[in-house]
Amino acid sequence: MILGGSRTAYYLSKMLLASGSSVTIIDKSPERCHELEEALPGANIILGDGAQQELLNEEGLGNMDAFVSLTGIDEENIVLSLFAKNASPKVKTITKVNHTLF
C-alpha cells in the first residue's frame, strides 16, 4: 500500500507491478487518481484521504506486506507509518521524511 500519488509513488508502483506484486495507491486528488489509473493499469487506485484510519483499514492495511507513506507532509508520514505498524506488526513500513534538523 502506497499513500500519496507522487512521482516517486508512480515509479515505485511501476517497478512493483513489473515484479508481479499487487499495488494499492491512495491519493486525495481526483485528477491524480485518474492519471495513475491510466498510467498503471494493474494497480488499485483509491480516491480518499489516507490520513483517515478507517479508510486504511477498509482497504486492507492489515493484509498488506508493506506500507509506504509518500505524502508531502513529514509529520503525517511518520504518524501514519506508526499507525500502520501498530495496526499490523507484520507490515514493513517505509516513511519519506524531507525535513532535517541540522
Side-chain angles (χ1 to χ4, degrees):
M1 179 178 282
I2 301 173
L3 182 58
S6 65
R7 187 177 322 149
T8 303
Y10 166 76
Y11 286 112
L12 174 61
S13 298
K14 194 171 180 178
M15 291 180 359
L16 289 170
L17 290 169
S19 72
S21 298
S22 61
V23 176
T24 298
I25 301 174
I26 300 174
D27 195 87
K28 55 184 164 183
S29 166
E31 295 83 18
R32 185 62 181 158
C33 285
H34 182 69
E35 292 171 6
L36 291 170
E37 284 175 344
E38 290 181 353
L40 302 167
N44 182 22
I45 311 298
I46 307 297
L47 174 62
D49 184 2
Q52 294 180 350
Q53 296 173 356
E54 300 88 28
L55 176 64
L56 296 175
N57 289 327
E58 287 173 9
E59 295 304 325
L61 175 61
N63 299 324
M64 298 291 171
D65 293 327
F67 178 82
V68 183
S69 188
L70 299 175
T71 72
I73 304 168
D74 292 348
E75 294 85 357
E76 185 175 271
N77 289 339
I78 293 167
V79 170
L80 290 171
S81 291
L82 288 171
F83 170 75
K85 195 64 168 174
N86 189 41
S88 178
K90 72 174 184 117
V91 170
K92 293 181 177 27
T93 58
I94 299 172
T95 308
K96 180 184 96 167
V97 178
N98 290 321
H99 183 73
T100 58
L101 298 175
F102 303 101

